[in-house]
Amino acid sequence: MASPRLALLLPGLGLLSEQNRNAFLEKQRANFEGEIFIISDFSGHDKNNRFTFIKISPAAKPEDFLKQGFSAALTLDVEKIITFENLSTRNATWFLPYLGMGNVIESTKRNFKEMLVSEVVNLVSFGNSYNVFSMNRIFTPEAVEVLAGYELSRRSFLTESINLLNSHGIRTTEIIKKNTVKNKSRRLTTSELAAVIMRNTKQNSVFYGGISLLTYIANVVMLYVGLSLGMIYPLAVFFSSELAGLSNFIVNEKINFKNRGFLNSAYKFGKFNAFLMVPVVLEILLLGVLSRYSKGIGTGTFFAISLISIIAVSILSFVLINRFVWAKRTNTKVYI
């Protein structure tokens, strides 16, 4: 099988010492047989004709270099575009085991802030990635064509790029190396963390949040309606949760996400209802225990605890349903 033609995006290559630059490139030459285009701020010459250097103007912002590099790569007849977390010789050939795959991210263990941002971004953007901050990536021309047409900010490029590919149905495989040390080199301030999350909050995420809030209100209203009609408390909880959940699903499935097809929606509703019922059953069991002691704790305390439990159930349902029903599964995680 012939080796694929690659384009390597190497910002800062010209800033390396000659010794380190030659060592990095020599690793490519020694381990890869095909033709490689080097897109960087360095104008070099390869006497062995293995590398073709394409110099682009140095950019003040990393995202500007990426956009220039992506645009340059699209003019070449290459099959994969490679980016690097760092230009050390240890990281020089990270991509070789994955060239037979499509779009790839190689991740290591997350530090706490990376974990926090990744999970919140997944929640607000319906994503499914493990570590959105790794820059060890393989892009296909199809993915690069999508990314080159968007304005991506410096700090949120890594997360936004995954979400953009998700929105276009372009699959990514994330290779997670479990036995590596946590990445301690990247530090995000609180304001940068918040900016990453805000830029990845989609319009349908806001609508989804509004619908969830209305669902919570409807749940509480229907609970008290059920109680006023004489229903026992567990039945009232089940009744209110089921009706509120059904309305939530229909509005999101058909209006917010604009999904079509009866069978697909029916299957998704089955999952939705299962995740909805898990916390509801837990709440009913909790209230069953509390009801035994309702006289001792007082009616006011009983209903206060009931209200808190409803809020807790609503939050738990929100997280579970968001992750397992609405999240797009175009990002596949593989642990090695």
Side-chain angles (χ1 to χ4, degrees), residues 11 36 48 55 58 78 91 104 116 118 126-127 144-145 148 158 194 211 218 229 241 250-251 303 310 326 336:
I36 297 180
N48 297 314
K55 183 178 180 180
V78 295
N91 195 51
V104 173
L116 178 62
S118 296
F126 311 102
V144 166
E145 190 170 2
L158 300 173
I211 292 300
L229 294 176
S241 299
I250 293 174
V251 172
F303 279 105
I310 290 174
W326 303 122
I336 62 173

Side-chain angles (χ1 to χ4, degrees), residues 200-305:
N200 283 276
T201 302
K202 300 173 179 292
Q203 182 178 353
N204 54 7
S205 302
V206 176
F207 187 70
Y208 180 80
I211 292 300
S212 297
L213 178 61
L214 291 175
T215 298
Y216 161 70
I217 295 173
N219 193 352
V220 173
V221 170
M222 285 187 283
L223 172 61
Y224 284 99
V225 169
L227 291 174
S228 67
L229 294 176
M231 289 185 181
I232 60 174
Y233 208 94
L235 182 60
V237 170
F238 178 85
F239 166 77
S240 62
S241 299
E242 186 69 19
L243 285 183
L246 178 61
S247 61
N248 180 295
F249 178 85
I250 293 174
V251 172
N252 276 307
E253 175 75 355
K254 299 306 180 184
I255 298 177
N256 191 19
F257 298 107
K258 297 180 175 61
N259 292 323
R260 299 291 180 264
F262 175 79
L263 292 180
N264 181 63
S265 294
Y267 169 72
K268 194 177 296 182
F269 179 69
K271 290 199 301 180
F272 177 93
N273 213 42
F275 286 114
L276 179 68
M277 285 299 105
V278 168
V280 168
V281 169
L282 293 177
E283 182 186 2
I284 291 174
L285 292 176
L286 172 63
L287 294 177
V289 173
L290 288 175
S291 63
R292 298 178 185 178
Y293 306 98
S294 59
K295 292 183 179 179
I297 63 178
T299 304
T301 303
F302 175 79
F303 279 105
I305 295 176

Side-chain angles (χ1 to χ4, degrees), residues 106-206:
E106 185 188 70
S107 294
T108 57
K109 291 180 180 178
R110 300 174 292 186
N111 61 41
F112 176 76
K113 283 190 175 181
E114 289 176 339
M115 179 276 293
L116 178 62
V117 175
S118 296
E119 293 304 327
V120 174
V121 167
N122 282 340
L123 188 66
V124 301
S125 66
F126 311 102
N128 182 43
S129 61
Y130 173 83
N131 183 3
V132 294
F133 292 98
S134 175
M135 202 57 200
N136 275 354
R137 298 193 181 188
I138 299 175
F139 295 98
T140 61
E142 177 191 23
V144 166
E145 190 170 2
V146 169
L147 297 175
Y150 282 83
E151 289 294 333
L152 303 174
S153 73
R154 177 181 182 181
R155 278 295 186 178
S156 55
F157 166 80
L158 300 173
T159 51
E160 285 183 82
S161 60
I162 293 180
N163 289 332
L164 281 172
L165 298 182
N166 282 345
S167 68
H168 286 75
I170 298 176
R171 301 194 65 84
T172 301
T173 300
E174 193 167 5
I175 309 296
I176 302 165
K177 301 173 71 174
K178 295 187 292 185
N179 297 324
T180 55
V181 297
K182 293 181 180 179
N183 175 20
K184 298 181 180 180
S185 62
R186 194 178 304 280
R187 291 291 182 266
L188 292 174
T189 66
T190 302
S191 60
E192 289 170 335
L193 182 151
V196 170
I197 294 171
M198 290 302 295
R199 284 183 62 92
N200 283 276
T201 302
K202 300 173 179 292
Q203 182 178 353
N204 54 7
S205 302
V206 176

